[in-house]
Amino acid sequence: MAKSNRQDKISKLKSIKSLMIIYFTTIIVIGMLFTGVSLYEKFSSTSEAYASKAVDQLLTQVKYSLDTYTRNMMNVSNTLYYKIIKKQNIASNNFASEMNVIQTTNNDIASLVLFKSNGELIANSQYAKLKEGIDVTQQKWFQNSLNRPENIHFSSPHKQDLFEGHDQWVISLSRAVSLNENGRIIQGVLLVDMNMKGIENICGAISEDDVGSISILSSSGSMIYGDENQIGLYDEQLAYWEDGNYTRRIDGKRLLVTVKTAGYTGWKIVATWRLDKILFTYTELNRFLIIVLMIGIVMCVIGTLFISSRLSSPLYKLQKSMNLVEEGRFDIQIDESGEYIVSHLAKSFNAMVSRIKELMHEIVIEQDDKRKKELEALQSQINPHFLYNTLDSIIWLAESDKIEEAIMMITALSRFFRIGISSGRNIITVREELEHARNYLAIQKIRYKNKFEFNIKTDEEALNAKTLKLILQPLIENALYHGIEYILEKGEINISVKVDADKLIYEISDNGIGMSEETRLKLFDKEQEIKTKGSGVGVKNVNERIKLYYGQDYGMQVESKLEEGTTIYIKIPLTYT
C-alpha cells in the first residue's frame, strides 16, 4: 500500500511540468484579461463621455431652436394682444385683416381667432372659419385661459376640428384678453394655433429610427412630439427627470438618454440613442483584444515549456528524498547540492525538519505541564482542608437548627464541585465560571460568618463567551486567606467581566491588607515558590495555565498596595466557540 501511494505521488509530481505550464499561462492570461478589460472599460467610458457631450451639444441646439420657435409664436400672440387692448371699441375693428397679414407671413401658424368669454366669435384669420354649432367654451384651452388669465397657455398636441376646411394637428397657444365693447370691459380669449411642421422640422432631421430619436414631453408628462413606443422610457415619467445624461438598459439595449428643459414652455426635450450604434468601435475593439489574447496564450505556452523543463528535472530528485521524511524519518538530511533554487529548498527543508523535531519535543513537555496544572487546579477543588471545614460548618449549622443555611451551603458545595468537574471539559462559559465563583464565595461567606461581602458584575455579551475554567476560585481563595482574613473591618470582594474589542477582561479586587511591591514582583517568578494557606494553586499557577492555553500575549496583571487592597486583571481572547 505504501509503495502504491509513493508511486501515485511520483506520478503526480511528474506532471509538474504540465502544472507549471497551466499556472504560468493562467496567471499571464488573467493579467492580459485584466489589462484588456481595463483598457476596454476605459475606452468605453471615454467614448460614452464624448458621445454624451456630443448629444448634449446637439440637444442644446434643439432646445435653442425650440425656444426660438415658441418665442416667435408668443411674439405673434403679444402683437395681437397689444393691438386688441389699444382698440377703442371692438365693434369697429379690423382684426381679421391684421390676422390675415400675420398668418400669410408666418407658415407655422394654422389659425388666429378672437372670442368673447361666452364663446362668440369676434374675429378670425381667413383660414379659420368656425364650424356651425361648435361650443368653444367647452375647449380645455378656452377654459384654462379664463381660469388663469395672467398666463399664456400651451396645450398638448390635438386635432383642431373647430374650423371648416382643415382638420390638422396643432398646439394651441391661448390667453385671456380684456375687450372694450361700447365702453364696457369684457373678457375674451385670443387663440393662436401652431401647426406641428415647425417642431417636426426641428426634431425630425436629427431622429433616426434605428439609432435614436428626439421626443418632447409637456410639463405634465403628455407626449408633444415623438413616439412613446420608440423611446421605450415613457412609463418612467421622463417629464420629472432633472436635466442631464443618463444610461438605461431597455429590452437588452443600452440607451443614452439626454434630458433638457425648454425655457418658455417647461417642455422636456428627450434624446434617446442606442450606444451600440453610435459607439460602433466596440465590436472592432473586442475583435482586436481577442486576437491579441490568443497570440499571448501561444507565446505563454512556448515560454513556460522551456522554463518548466529547467525547473522540474531537479525537483524529481528532491521529491524522492522528501518521501523518507514524509514517512516519519526526521533523522534524514536532504542533499543540499544542485542548482541554486533546489539547493535553497533543500536547506530550508532540512531546517524545517530540525525545527519540527524541536517543536515535537516542546509539545510533549508542554502537554505534560498542562496536565500537571490541570491536576493541581482540580485538586484545589477537593482540598481536604476546604472540604473538612465546609462539612464541619454544615454540621454546625444543622446542630444550631439553621437548616436553611445548611441546605444553602450543601447546594452551593454541590454546584461548586459539579462545575469544577464539568464533565472533564477544560473550557466552559463565563456564565459557568462565574457561577462556580459565586458558589465558592457563598460557602466561604457562611464559614467566615459574613466577615465579607461580594459583588459580581458582567457584560451581557460576555456571559456566553468561552473561558478556561477554574481561574477565579484560586484568586478568590488567596484574597480571603492573604488579604481579608487579617483586616478588622468588613471585607469586600468585587468581580467584574467585560468585553474589550476582541478580548475578555476579568477584574478581581479586594480591600484586604494588600502586599508590598517586592512581593508583587515575585508573584510570577519561576524560581519563587509562593506558599499559600489554601489550595496551593495560587496566582502563579493560574497565570501559567492561561499562557499555556492562550499564548504569551495573555495572562494576569496584579496591582496592590499595603493596607489598601489588591486588584488582579485577567486578559484572555474573546471566543464563543
Side-chain angles (χ1 to χ4, degrees):
M1 180 65 72
K3 185 176 180 181
S4 176
N5 290 337
R6 185 182 300 175
Q7 288 177 345
D8 290 341
K9 292 176 181 178
I10 292 174
S11 177
K12 291 178 181 178
L13 281 173
K14 285 182 179 179
S15 66
I16 190 170
K17 183 185 294 186
S18 301
L19 292 175
M20 291 174 69
I21 293 172
I22 294 172
Y23 293 155
F24 289 162
T25 303
T26 301
I27 292 171
I28 295 174
V29 169
I30 291 174
M32 293 177 66
L33 282 174
F34 176 78
T35 303
V37 170
S38 300
L39 290 173
Y40 179 84
E41 290 297 328
K42 179 64 177 176
F43 178 81
S44 300
S45 60
T46 303
S47 299
E48 288 185 16
Y50 279 120
S52 298
K53 185 176 180 181
V55 172
D56 188 83
Q57 291 174 346
L58 180 64
L59 212 60
T60 300
Q61 183 61 42
V62 172
K63 175 182 174 296
Y64 175 78
S65 300
L66 188 62
D67 286 344
T68 302
Y69 175 77
T70 55
R71 185 171 60 249
N72 289 339
M73 295 300 101
M74 291 172 64
N75 289 338
V76 170
S77 178
N78 289 335
T79 299
L80 288 172
Y81 175 81
Y82 290 116
K83 285 181 179 293
I84 292 169
I85 63 176
K86 288 180 181 179
K87 291 293 181 181
Q88 296 295 327
N89 195 334
I90 61 172
S92 58
N93 71 80
N94 58 347
F95 294 145
S97 60
E98 292 178 358
M99 290 178 177
N100 289 336
V101 172
I102 292 173
Q103 185 172 357
T104 302
T105 57
N106 195 325
N107 295 328
D108 294 325
I109 297 176
S111 58
L112 299 169
V113 191
L114 178 63
F115 296 97
K116 291 183 181 181
S117 59
N118 61 4
E120 180 183 341
L121 177 65
I122 297 175
N124 60 285
S125 60
Q126 59 183 341
Y127 303 110
K129 186 177 180 181
L130 197 64
K131 292 180 180 179
E132 293 184 4
I134 291 294
D135 185 6
V136 296
T137 61
Q138 301 303 314
Q139 299 292 319
K140 190 174 182 179
W141 54 264
F142 191 93
Q143 295 173 353
N144 287 340
S145 299
L146 294 178
N147 292 336
R148 288 180 292 174
E150 70 280 1
N151 295 335
I152 297 177
H153 302 276
F154 286 85
S155 73
S156 299
H158 63 99
K159 186 174 288 188
Q160 188 62 282
D161 55 358
L162 299 177
F163 310 109
E164 295 181 356
H166 51 91
D167 190 12
Q168 58 182 321
W169 284 87
V170 298
I171 296 175
S172 295
L173 186 155
S174 59
R175 66 194 300 175
V177 60
S178 297
L179 303 173
N180 184 346
E181 184 181 39
N182 299 320
R184 185 169 58 93
I185 302 301
I186 63 172
Q187 286 291 97
V189 175
L190 175 62
L191 172 66
V192 178
D193 278 339
M194 303 181 295
N195 60 45
M196 298 296 294
K197 290 181 181 179
I199 296 178
E200 291 174 354
N201 291 336
I202 294 171
C203 302
I206 300 172
S207 300
E208 295 184 43
D209 292 340
D210 193 38
V211 178
S213 64
I214 291 182
S215 302
I216 301 175
L217 287 80
S218 69
S219 58
S220 63
S222 60
M223 184 67 69
I224 293 175
Y225 173 83
D227 184 355
E228 295 176 5
N229 296 325
Q230 185 178 14
I231 64 173
L233 292 163
Y234 186 68
D235 289 340
E236 295 191 30
Q237 297 185 330
L238 282 167
Y240 303 102
W241 285 22
E242 297 291 335
D243 289 6
N245 296 313
Y246 306 88
T247 55
R248 292 290 185 272
R249 185 175 292 277
I250 305 296
D251 297 331
K253 300 172 184 177
R254 290 188 69 236
L255 302 178
L256 173 63
V257 183
T258 303
V259 180
K260 293 282 185 182
T261 304
Y264 295 100
T265 59
W267 294 345
K268 291 290 184 180
I269 309 169
V270 182
T272 309
W273 304 96
R274 284 181 56 183
L275 284 173
D276 60 330
K277 294 293 184 180
I278 61 176
L279 302 179
F280 59 92
T281 51
Y282 275 16
T283 304
E284 296 178 5
L285 181 62
N286 286 339
R287 192 177 298 117
F288 172 76
L289 289 176
I290 292 173
I291 293 172
V292 171
L293 182 62
M294 296 302 296
I295 294 174
I297 292 174
V298 172
M299 294 180 66
C300 289
V301 172
I302 295 173
T304 51
L305 277 171
F306 175 76
I307 296 172
S308 61
S309 297
R310 294 291 302 272
L311 293 177
S312 59
S313 180
L315 292 177
Y316 293 148
K317 299 177 182 178
L318 181 61
Q319 188 273 337
K320 292 179 181 179
S321 299
M322 288 182 176
N323 282 336
L324 297 175
V325 177
E326 189 179 22
E327 293 173 358
R329 296 179 57 182
F330 293 103
D331 56 338
I332 297 297
Q333 289 291 301
I334 297 176
D335 184 9
E336 298 180 0
S337 62
E339 295 186 10
Y340 172 75
I341 295 178
V342 178
S343 175
H344 184 71
L345 286 174
K347 291 178 181 178
S348 299
F349 190 82
N350 287 337
M352 181 187 69
V353 171
S354 299
R355 181 58 181 158
I356 288 174
K357 290 169 64 177
E358 293 175 4
L359 289 174
M360 290 178 64
H361 180 67
E362 291 177 4
I363 288 172
V364 171
I365 295 175
E366 184 176 292
Q367 291 299 321
D368 288 342
D369 200 11
K370 276 187 180 180
R371 284 190 290 270
K372 178 182 176 183
K373 299 297 181 185
E374 290 166 5
L375 181 60
E376 289 177 352
L378 184 59
Q379 286 174 343
S380 72
Q381 307 302 300
I382 54 176
N383 181 277
H385 295 289
F386 168 71
L387 186 58
Y388 170 78
N389 291 333
T390 302
L391 294 175
D392 190 53
S393 296
I394 293 171
I395 294 171
W396 176 79
L397 289 171
E399 291 176 348
S400 302
D401 292 328
K402 297 181 178 181
I403 305 303
E404 290 186 2
E405 292 184 19
I407 292 173
M408 184 185 303
M409 200 168 187
I410 293 170
T411 302
L413 183 64
S414 171
R415 292 175 179 173
F416 175 77
F417 281 122
R418 183 173 68 250
I419 297 175
I421 296 171
S422 51
S423 303
R425 292 180 289 125
N426 291 321
I427 302 297
I428 60 177
T429 64
V430 172
R431 189 190 305 276
E432 292 173 313
E433 179 68 11
L434 291 176
E435 181 65 21
H436 183 259
R438 185 179 286 105
N439 290 322
Y440 179 76
L441 284 164
I443 293 169
Q444 295 290 42
K445 186 176 180 181
I446 296 173
R447 284 188 55 218
Y448 276 82
K449 298 181 173 56
N450 294 318
K451 180 179 174 59
F452 68 91
E453 296 290 339
F454 66 89
N455 181 39
I456 299 176
K457 296 191 301 182
T458 179
D459 291 349
E460 188 67 26
E461 58 181 322
L463 289 174
N464 293 321
K466 297 295 185 179
T467 182
L468 184 65
K469 75 175 180 180
L470 306 182
I471 59 177
L472 291 179
Q473 183 268 332
L475 305 182
I476 297 170
E477 185 178 39
N478 283 334
L480 290 171
Y481 291 149
H482 298 286
I484 291 175
E485 185 173 340
Y486 299 103
I487 63 175
L488 298 177
E489 66 271 17
K490 195 164 191 176
E492 184 177 331
I493 296 177
N494 294 305
I495 301 172
S496 68
V497 189
K498 63 181 180 180
V499 173
D500 183 10
D502 59 346
K503 299 178 183 62
L504 193 68
I505 307 297
Y506 288 93
E507 181 180 339
I508 307 97
S509 63
D510 65 72
N511 63 341
I513 62 172
M515 67 183 79
S516 65
E517 182 66 12
E518 180 182 2
T519 303
R520 187 187 71 82
L521 294 175
K522 290 181 179 180
L523 282 176
F524 304 126
D525 191 342
K526 292 184 178 179
E527 304 299 326
Q528 184 74 14
E529 186 68 29
I530 303 295
K531 298 295 184 180
T532 67
K533 181 180 175 182
S535 67
V537 177
V539 175
K540 188 174 77 169
N541 178 283
V542 173
N543 190 52
E544 289 176 352
R545 287 178 63 221
I546 292 172
K547 290 185 179 296
L548 281 171
Y549 271 90
Y550 297 118
Q552 296 301 312
D553 293 335
Y554 302 94
M556 295 170 48
Q557 177 184 345
V558 179
E559 296 178 359
S560 183
K561 288 186 179 180
L562 280 173
E563 308 301 333
E564 292 186 14
T566 302
T567 300
I568 299 177
Y569 299 95
I570 301 175
K571 179 177 69 173
I572 64 174
L574 178 64
T575 59
Y576 290 93
T577 56

